Amino acid sequence: MSTSSPTDSNRDFKQASNTGSHQDTKEAPTLDFKLCNILLEPLSCFANYPQLLYRLGAPTEEAPPSSAAYDKQHQGLNISGNIDFLTYFNAFSTSKWKRYTNLQSAFLHVELEAVKGDAKGELQLVGVDEDAVSADWVPHFNLHNDDSAIKQDISIHSIGEAHSFDASKTPVVFDVEIPFGTMLLASFKLTLAKNNSVRIKNAYYYARVAPQDIRPIKLAIATTTFNNENYIAPNIELFKKEIAAKDEPISRASHLFVVDNGRTLVPQEYETDAVSIIPNANVGGSGGFARGMMAALEKGDFTHVLLMDDDVSIQPESFLRTFNLLSLARDTYADACVNGAMFTIETPNMQFEDVSQVGPDGQYARIKGNLYMDHLADIAVNEKVMVERSNTYGAWWFSCIPVAKIAKHGLPLPLFVRLDDVEYGLRIDARYMTMNGICVWHAGFGDRFRASVDVYQYLRNYLAVMALDNLPYDKLFMLRTRRSMQLYLRMMAYDTAELMLQALEDYLKGPQFFEKPQGEKIMKENGARNEKLERLSDALCTAAAEHPDYAAPLNAFEIDPVMLKENVYVPFWLKLWRTLPYDRHLLPSFLLRKKPATIYYGGFTLPSLALVGTSILVAADRGGTQAHVRIMDKKRYKSIKRRWKKALKQYKRTYSELRSQYQQARPNFTSEAFWKEYLNCALQGTPHPQSDKQNDEF
């Protein structure tokens, strides 16, 4: 252990400016370069899960209950008893820093002071070895669980000797070396004497590096917003306060570009030397992020563009860790992307996804399943499982991309929403770095289904992506698409089936269909065609009034909650029955039943004998509170079938010609010239709500 004053440590850190070229060298002199902070105060979005920051020791006969509370006045964490920081945000990712950089060790810096009276105790480094965790523990990607699925015990061991301290009269400063060795994670725990308490202030991990080992990173953060001031305004202020106003290398080498697709932000209210507001037409996420990339390219000196959704809650530390990781990346990771994980706002301790992969059948799926980051086993597995695989992509809720890759591979495709990030990851052959503590909180996707987006945008864009990039997934993809149409029609989801049909027909119009900025118009039109859910009782009353013949069974209907659940066991014979190409529409009317059955409104439902032969389906959400009543319409069914058959014939007949046309169009779609014209056309068609014509031209 060594001690130093906070001012000495900070002075060294400030000298580690973001200049110079990167070389694999260990020549003296070295500078103290901060890697990441130890976070002491939870964000409001995970205030009920302080275990993401620290864990309190269980009380024993010898030890009283432990406690921890953030002291806003003194900006520190007051603790008593025993507490450990081997957590999602505060454990140091030794294996990742060793893998991604040339570092072989790091240092823990902790400042302790007495809260009142005696403040004696011990500081002990602790860690988890790489061999203590297996990558095979990762849960299946589609597992829906309420708690950690990883039940294995994690072995924690001490690193070196414990360090005694007495901060009763004067503050104590620790600078303790952490040798990487075979460690997966490392951190520290504090054990206080009975009736003693300390305040932790200014704690972080740092490394001693040669100045020439620090890469000259300059970060452009591009976020796209559309009428979402409730999220974007706080995020802008957070960036100003926690990044731009600090005295860190990132503070002098980052800029926030807010692409305002709704054109509702007043630039003068937000802009500073570190923040720019770019009024833009509503051209969707792909158009907004393309404009953000262009802003970074126009400046000429940014090295990376970090794409970030507007509707996220962000821990500023994620920016800092991303920047510092890029600054020290070894040569083999110089062109790698950094992708932040997504936690769900509804379950703020659950990591939903960090990186996903497109399989040989064209389906894409998360590499990891749901991981609960207040559990040490999940934290360790998250670091153990590598995401460096082929055909991967990182969702654009938080994705940092080297500008060199953008210059080489071009801008996103004009897809408006859906699959823009998937396609881009595949196109640039991205290699991703991930790390605990780099993340955002975003609304979950589990029970949200909109056919206009989840069916139309997905199918149309996936067909276009396969053609534009000449991907070999089309045969299996079309088999699944035909199967999906069969199931939607079987479940009498006529609105959804028609949107799926429209997606195929629009793809068949060729690449010229995507040349015009009509995404907003299409989204509005298709949104009006989504199946409308209303309160269950109202839905039943409306259907009974419109179809008097069905009034009696509808008035007597009760929802079956089992049919709305996920991951319910289904016997093999029922699964086999579902695969058969039958359809209730083919039954004569006298064989159809008028007894309603329950199904899940989004996508497909569980096989059940209750569904056989009924002409009434009550499509409900997972809770069974919102629903839409589907009544068999054989005329509409036949019309959709005829159009679908015609579209499939055209797809088969024009397959090769269309793919050739799309591939020839790709260089244009991804060029800066195309996007400038595309965005200008969109701007001319959508005047500013306040008749403000500024920035209409590039």
Side-chain angles (χ1 to χ4, degrees):
M1 179 193 77
S2 64
T3 59
S4 64
S5 70
T7 53
D8 289 341
S9 179
N10 287 341
R11 185 186 65 244
D12 288 342
F13 174 59
K14 293 173 187 176
Q15 290 174 353
S17 60
N18 204 355
T19 59
S21 60
H22 184 273
Q23 300 176 11
D24 288 340
T25 178
K26 296 182 179 179
E27 295 179 1
T30 60
L31 299 173
D32 290 351
F33 189 91
K34 184 189 290 184
L35 303 175
C36 51
N37 289 302
I38 292 168
L39 304 181
L40 304 175
E41 181 182 19
L43 289 177
S44 59
C45 63
F46 66 90
N48 293 327
Y49 295 92
Q51 300 90 340
L52 294 176
L53 302 184
Y54 49 79
R55 271 188 297 272
L56 301 178
T60 65
E61 292 183 3
E62 294 78 19
S66 303
S67 65
Y70 188 74
D71 185 335
K72 289 185 178 293
Q73 179 182 355
H74 296 94
Q75 296 184 336
L77 184 69
N78 298 342
I79 69 166
S80 61
N82 62 83
I83 182 172
D84 86 76
F85 292 86
L86 198 63
T87 59
Y88 175 74
F89 276 110
N90 289 330
F92 185 75
S93 301
T94 49
S95 64
K96 290 288 185 72
W97 283 101
K98 181 179 178 181
R99 181 183 185 90
Y100 298 147
T101 74
N102 290 317
L103 299 179
Q104 296 299 315
S105 68
F107 292 83
L108 167 69
H109 178 90
V110 179
E111 299 173 22
L112 303 173
E113 63 183 22
V115 175
K116 60 180 179 179
D118 292 335
K120 300 176 182 179
E122 288 184 345
L123 180 148
Q124 174 69 63
L125 290 182
V126 293
V128 175
D129 197 84
E130 291 180 357
D131 292 339
V133 183
S134 171
D136 295 335
W137 295 354
V138 66
H140 192 258
F141 74 89
N142 65 356
L143 183 66
H144 294 268
N145 52 294
D146 297 324
D147 201 348
S148 172
I150 304 170
K151 302 304 180 185
Q152 285 84 352
D153 292 331
I154 295 292
S155 176
I156 304 172
H157 62 84
S158 299
I159 305 172
E161 299 295 326
H163 305 283
S164 299
F165 62 83
D166 184 352
S168 303
K169 296 180 180 179
T170 58
V172 172
V173 178
F174 283 99
D175 284 275
V176 186
E177 185 170 13
I178 304 172
F180 287 179
T182 60
M183 299 298 297
L184 179 70
L185 299 167
S187 191
F188 69 103
K189 67 178 182 179
L190 293 172
T191 304
L192 279 297
K194 189 175 182 180
N195 299 323
N196 283 230
S197 59
V198 297
R199 181 179 300 117
I200 307 175
K201 298 184 66 175
N202 193 31
Y204 56 84
Y205 299 102
Y206 68 97
R208 288 173 180 161
V209 300
Q212 59 267 35
D213 279 351
I214 304 172
R215 292 184 181 277
I217 302 300
K218 189 169 183 183
L219 184 63
I221 301 170
T223 183
T224 300
T225 187
F226 179 74
N227 297 341
N228 206 0
E229 281 79 355
N230 288 340
Y231 271 101
I232 196 63
N235 284 344
I236 293 172
E237 294 307 311
L238 181 144
F239 175 81
K240 290 179 181 178
K241 178 181 177 182
E242 300 297 334
I243 299 297
K246 299 292 185 179
D247 189 12
E248 307 267 11
I250 188 175
S251 308
R252 301 180 288 276
S254 62
H255 193 92
L256 176 63
F257 294 95
V258 180
V259 181
D260 181 15
N261 278 2
R263 305 184 75 196
T264 55
L265 300 178
V266 179
Q268 294 81 358
E269 294 181 2
Y270 298 98
E271 288 190 326
T272 66
D273 290 341
V275 178
S276 297
I277 306 297
I278 304 176
N280 205 41
N282 184 18
V283 284
S286 62
F289 286 129
R291 184 65 187 94
M293 289 180 177
M294 291 166 64
L297 291 170
E298 288 163 6
K299 294 290 183 180
D301 56 350
F302 287 103
T303 61
H304 293 77
V305 179
L306 196 163
L307 306 179
M308 188 178 75
D309 280 344
D310 65 330
D311 55 344
V312 298
S313 293
I314 180 73
Q315 172 64 259
E317 181 70 12
S318 295
F319 296 134
L320 180 69
R321 294 185 186 188
T322 298
F323 184 90
N324 292 343
L325 178 59
L326 294 171
S327 298
L328 297 182
R330 64 169 71 237
D331 290 343
T332 51
Y333 287 91
D335 64 346
C337 303
V338 177
N339 224 71
M342 179 195 130
F343 284 62
T344 63
I345 291 175
E346 299 83 358
T347 312
N349 61 323
M350 188 189 82
Q351 178 180 295
F352 173 78
E353 178 183 330
D354 55 6
V355 174
S356 289
Q357 185 175 29
V358 179
D361 59 353
Q363 295 190 82
Y364 52 87
R366 298 176 283 161
I367 290 176
K368 307 166 188 174
N370 296 342
L371 291 170
Y372 287 78
M373 292 308 182
D374 49 351
H375 292 263
L376 182 57
D378 297 53
I379 298 167
V381 165
N382 195 44
E383 292 295 80
K384 181 75 171 182
V385 177
M386 291 293 106
V387 298
E388 295 174 55
R389 307 181 185 184
S390 59
N391 299 328
T392 53
Y393 72 92
W396 285 354
W397 47 64
F398 189 103
S399 191
C400 188
I401 304 169
V403 166
K405 281 193 174 290
I406 300 173
K408 179 180 179 180
H409 297 282
L411 297 166
L413 294 173
L415 301 177
F416 200 81
V417 294
R418 282 292 187 273
L419 288 155
D420 46 355
D421 48 8
V422 178
E423 187 277 335
Y424 203 78
L426 296 177
R427 191 202 316 168
I428 68 175
D429 191 22
R431 184 183 194 183
Y432 289 101
M433 296 187 287
T434 62
M435 186 175 289
N436 282 342
I438 301 178
C439 64
V440 298
W441 282 262
H442 191 289
F445 307 116
D447 296 332
R448 183 176 63 179
F449 177 80
R450 294 168 298 164
S452 58
V453 176
D454 301 313
V455 174
Y456 173 84
Q457 292 288 139
Y458 170 77
L459 176 57
R460 186 201 70 184
N461 291 354
Y462 213 134
L463 290 169
V465 166
M466 288 191 297
L468 284 156
D469 292 346
N470 197 26
L471 300 178
Y473 310 134
D474 52 289
K475 288 186 174 63
L476 282 174
F477 181 80
M478 285 306 295
L479 281 174
R480 291 202 316 276
T481 298
R482 294 183 186 202
R483 175 65 178 154
S484 296
M485 174 60 81
Q486 181 185 45
L487 291 173
Y488 282 130
L489 287 175
R490 183 187 297 175
M491 294 298 114
M492 302 188 302
Y494 305 120
D495 297 317
T496 301
E498 285 183 340
L499 284 167
M500 175 176 275
L501 172 59
Q502 188 65 52
L504 177 57
E505 291 175 339
D506 286 348
Y507 163 76
L508 292 172
K509 294 173 184 177
Q512 58 270 26
F513 176 81
F514 294 87
E515 291 177 353
K516 296 186 295 182
Q518 54 184 337
E520 182 178 23
K521 175 176 176 288
I522 290 172
M523 287 290 289
K524 288 180 178 179
E525 292 175 350
N526 288 346
R529 297 163 66 182
N530 285 333
E531 190 172 68
K532 301 299 186 294
L533 300 186
E534 56 183 334
R535 191 169 59 178
L536 175 62
S537 58
D538 293 341
L540 295 172
C541 288
T542 300
E546 294 177 351
H547 302 274
D549 292 345
Y550 297 98
L554 285 170
N555 290 331
F557 174 78
E558 291 185 4
I559 207 83
D560 181 359
V562 174
M563 295 296 293
L564 303 176
K565 291 182 178 179
E566 296 179 275
N567 298 321
V568 175
Y569 171 74
V570 179
F572 175 77
W573 69 271
L574 274 178
K575 292 181 179 179
L576 181 63
W577 170 58
R578 176 174 166 174
T579 65
L580 299 176
Y582 69 90
D583 196 298
R584 72 187 72 241
H585 294 84
L586 303 179
L587 292 173
S589 298
F590 71 90
L591 289 179
L592 292 172
R593 299 182 298 116
K594 292 185 178 181
K595 184 177 181 180
T598 304
I599 62 169
Y600 173 57
Y601 89 103
F604 313 125
T605 192
L606 295 170
S608 170
L609 291 175
L611 299 174
V612 176
T614 182
S615 57
I616 314 174
L617 294 174
V618 180
D621 62 4
R622 293 291 184 199
T625 59
Q626 300 287 311
H628 176 83
V629 178
R630 299 173 183 169
I631 306 291
M632 181 177 288
D633 187 337
K634 290 189 175 183
K635 183 177 180 180
R636 193 176 181 188
Y637 166 84
K638 291 178 181 178
S639 174
I640 296 172
K641 290 279 285 186
R642 283 194 299 268
R643 283 178 60 194
W644 182 245
K645 185 177 181 180
K646 179 181 178 182
L648 288 176
K649 284 184 177 179
Q650 183 180 349
Y651 175 83
K652 184 176 181 180
R653 185 178 67 253
T654 62
Y655 171 82
S656 298
E657 179 184 354
L658 267 180
R659 281 179 79 93
S660 177
Q661 291 177 10
Y662 274 101
Q663 288 163 37
Q664 291 175 17
R666 194 183 82 164
N668 179 48
F669 281 158
T670 60
S671 69
E672 194 169 349
F674 166 81
W675 274 105
K676 284 186 175 181
E677 181 179 357
Y678 185 91
L679 295 175
N680 270 325
C681 288
L683 283 168
Q684 292 168 10
T686 55
H688 193 283
Q690 300 173 357
S691 300
D692 181 359
K693 299 299 182 181
Q694 65 179 348
N695 292 325
D696 273 1
E697 301 294 332
F698 290 98

